[in-house]
Amino acid sequence: MTKYIIKRLIEIIPVVLGIAFIIFAILDMIPGDPARLILGQTATAEAVEQLRDEMGLNDPFITRFASYVKDVIFHFDFGNSYKSGQPVFAVILKRFPVSFKLALCGMIGSCVFGIPLGILSAVKQNTRIDNIISILAMTIVAMPSFWVAMMLVLVFCLYLGWLPSTGHTTLKEFILPTITISLANGCSVLRITRSSMLDVIRMDYLKTAQAKGVPKRVIIWKHAFGNALLPVITTVGSIFGSLLGGALICETVFTMPGIGSLIISSIKSKDIPVVMGALIFLSACYSLVMLAVDLLYAVVDPRIKAKYSSK
Amino acid sequence: MKKALSILMICVMLMGIFAGCTSQPAENSSSESGENSAGTSNEVKIYVESAINTLDPYQTVEYASCYVFNNIYETLIRIDENGDVVPWLAKDWTVSEDGLTYSFTIQEGIKFHNGEELKASDVAYSLNTAIASPAMSSYCSMMDSAEATGDYTFDLKLNTPYGALISMLQGLYIVNEAFYTANQPCYDVACGTGPYMLRDGSVDLNTSIIVDAFEDYHLGKASIETANFKIITDASTARIQLENGDLDFMMCYNVSDYQPLKDTGNFNTQLVQAPHTAYIALNLEKEPLNNKALRQALNYATDNESIIMIAYDGLAEPARALTGANSFGVDFSDATDYTYNPDKAKEKLVEAGFPDGINFDDYGIILEYIPGSYHEKIANCLKEEWSQVGIEISLRATESVDCAKGEHMMRTTGTDYKADMSYMAGKYASWNIGSQNYAFYKNDRVDEIFRICDASSDQAERAKLYKELTEIIVDDAPYIPIQHKEIPYVWAKGLNAKVYPSNECPYYVYEWSWK
């Protein structure tokens, strides 16, 4: 098992390097001069040229990429933000806790919303309850997140005054963003739970359990859901991974300074070191989350555990 | 047993994470309740529309940072609402005969937030730092160096005479030399002489910056104890916060919010003409935009009034050049008047050699705009208006284009202007091709007038020459000026606030009070 984990961790390195290369190339192709953007529209041409020289922007692409990778690997230095001069890694670390909490709340919310309804929908397949849940899920999926977020703010902040509309410190401030994320992502969890439960629910061993008089609750939650869990874990894992950097709408509407809004504002201001650093950081996080998902497989399924142990 | 243990551990981890979620509020809520118990009269919450990148006044000229700078730092002079220069940290100044040395005397007894007294050496250090900073090059390109000649006197040397120098000093904030050198990089700390000082540990450049009244401020302590600059990147959220009472003062980033907020009757409102011009940058190096009659035809075919109604809710004034009529030296009395006139536009098209109209697609010329802003609406209006006189053009949304390098063909954009016409050299003088002169416009007489006026301090002569200049640049039409926008401000009924027609210095919290 340990060997497997180490092997997977080593595999992350070329993946992240590949991603870094692609991002570096894309950012290099975007029109606009970073030196001009840093100095503003009114700067003189000489000042811009001087800064380009200082920043090494006149070097060939490969030289710049190599020196970037060297700094990252040997000095753990992602460079400094063009805009503020702050070290990029410090900027990311400051933002990451907000994104992490938001992603965690969103993931838990999605499970709480999606899993029970998915199971219910599968158990009551082709009944009125199943139809109602399916229509509900489709309606929610069709609602754009920014609209849901604005409606929640209007109702709970402006009209009722129960919850704050911005902030990222108290649990109360996380409620509306969590609902927004959970509604959007909970539906995918719901659908995947429903379909994988339906695959399992017709299996013979469940009929045997029923015949033996095992209580229905145990059959559904332990025997059926236990075996239907693998696709659900994959979905929930990828939701968590993508929420780390992709909860942009929540971050914007609820003014939460997370990684998503950092990336967008940095792309707009062409703050390349921050964009690079944040995306590399996120790709590493995503790879780790996916590793965690694979390890969770082993926890829920002894057959997979046995396979890992033999590797 | 093993399973129970792992469940227990997961629970502990989750609790830990949420303890992390709630431990901060404990400190925070105490500060919040502290503010609330102090009563709303002591705090004002101000909307800032974009993240503040740095609190180092020599690393940025962005407005969002300036809102905070204006309250913690001060400058040698200020410009009042009539556009006149008012001595501030500077007491008086003299100019040498060759116009290359300005000798200043500064006020005595002014204290920095760290208790030190303001000395000429701090001012000289601040100016030299600004001169050396690439970010400040637009303010300082004419300056050579500053040197303290006594405790309260210093000389500012220029590398070329510059008639409008004093008004440029409004953008240069004075810092404490010892503090600034000891705390590099200064992106989240500050020490100035302004009426407010940063609250320790309050700075989060992404969410809020809190400043408290400075006890030893030289004009007396501010009436409002605390100002909280709240950074909210979503304008709709900001509006809800204002209506909720979580904000006290807001610049309406969405102009369409202005009228509904005004109609509620719950707020004070004011429209302020901003020294800003929205315009179309034409690249004169591209065929056929080098054809003057064609550019004039485009100007005649542009209905500024209706664009303003559609793109900016009527909250703007039509522009006749890239600078407003209130800037020194601008006189439109004898300049060509491009008021919307389709017949005249058609005549000019004939003169330009396009009697049957023109389709810019044939020349590969596209009108580019910044998506999602009022520029997009401007571009759409232009397409419609121009097609009525036989000028066809395609539109394209582009996020960032380097106009300085001529990557554009025709693009909606905007520029600020300042109290003196000399600032417009950036847009019209040929030596700024490659930086601000997006049109790649070159006219020898225009260059000559800018040079003479920069070197002259005879205001009557400058005014006369600038009038001639205005006529030339309007007639040559290297750009298509659209509008000077008005900035709508909305604030709480109980707040006495004052706003200025300036982009960098729209307000000073020191002048405000609660009723």
Side-chain angles (χ1 to χ4, degrees), chain B residues 285-484:
Chain B
E285 299 216 312
K286 310 260 176 180
E287 283 274 350
L289 295 174
N290 51 3
N291 183 330
K292 180 171 153 185
L294 175 66
R295 297 197 301 271
Q296 290 176 325
L298 291 172
N299 271 276
Y300 277 119
T302 302
D303 184 357
N304 301 40
E305 297 277 358
S306 70
I307 291 176
I308 288 167
M309 284 314 294
I310 294 165
Y312 216 71
D313 281 28
L315 301 179
E317 289 292 319
R320 295 188 60 186
L322 299 201
T323 178
N326 51 354
S327 192
F328 175 83
V330 181
D331 185 347
F332 290 116
S333 53
D334 292 320
T336 316
D337 183 0
Y338 292 114
T339 308
Y340 179 56
N341 189 335
D343 296 331
K344 201 88 195 218
K346 282 175 189 160
E347 270 174 41
K348 283 284 173 190
L349 273 177
V350 174
E351 190 187 323
F354 302 102
D356 304 324
I358 176 172
N359 187 342
F360 277 111
D361 288 349
D362 299 341
Y363 299 88
I365 288 186
I366 292 169
L367 174 57
E368 293 168 298
Y369 60 88
I370 306 156
S373 68
Y374 60 85
H375 290 288
E376 184 170 352
K377 295 182 188 164
I378 292 177
N380 280 296
C381 290
L382 285 176
K383 182 181 164 69
E384 186 58 36
E385 286 169 3
W386 290 355
S387 82
Q388 287 171 14
V389 294
I391 302 170
E392 300 297 337
I393 192 153
S394 305
L395 305 183
R396 180 165 70 198
T398 42
E399 200 62 68
S400 70
V401 167
D402 197 342
C403 295
K405 282 191 186 153
E407 285 175 3
H408 65 300
M409 298 169 249
M410 208 190 259
R411 180 168 174 82
T412 64
T413 179
T415 182
D416 291 349
Y417 59 86
K418 297 218 185 295
D420 192 282
M421 180 72 167
S422 63
Y423 190 74
M424 276 296 125
K427 291 290 167 198
Y428 294 102
S430 67
W431 59 84
N432 281 311
I433 289 176
S435 63
Q436 286 190 76
N437 186 341
Y438 294 169
F440 291 75
Y441 171 64
K442 185 172 182 345
N443 181 315
D444 292 338
R445 179 63 185 152
V446 168
D447 287 355
E448 190 185 355
I449 293 176
F450 274 123
R451 285 216 168 89
I452 299 172
C453 288
D454 278 352
S456 166
S457 48
D458 177 353
Q459 298 301 342
E461 186 203 0
R462 293 179 81 225
K464 201 173 131 221
L465 284 168
Y466 277 146
K467 180 168 185 289
E468 184 193 340
L469 178 90
T470 312
E471 286 155 21
I472 299 172
I473 58 176
V474 172
D475 190 58
D476 277 351
Y479 302 98
I480 304 172
I482 305 290
Q483 61 176 31
H484 305 302

Side-chain angles (χ1 to χ4, degrees), chain B residues 23 45 93 99 110 142 155 166 169-170 183 196 204 217 346-347 356 369 434 445 447 465 469 484 492:
Chain B
S23 67
K45 284 161 275 179
W93 54 86
I110 290 179
M142 77 300 283
D155 286 348
I166 295 296
L169 295 174
Q170 194 191 18
N183 287 284
Y196 288 91
D204 180 346
Y217 184 57
K346 282 175 189 160
E347 270 174 41
D356 304 324
Y369 60 88
R445 179 63 185 152
D447 287 355
L465 284 168
L469 178 90
H484 305 302

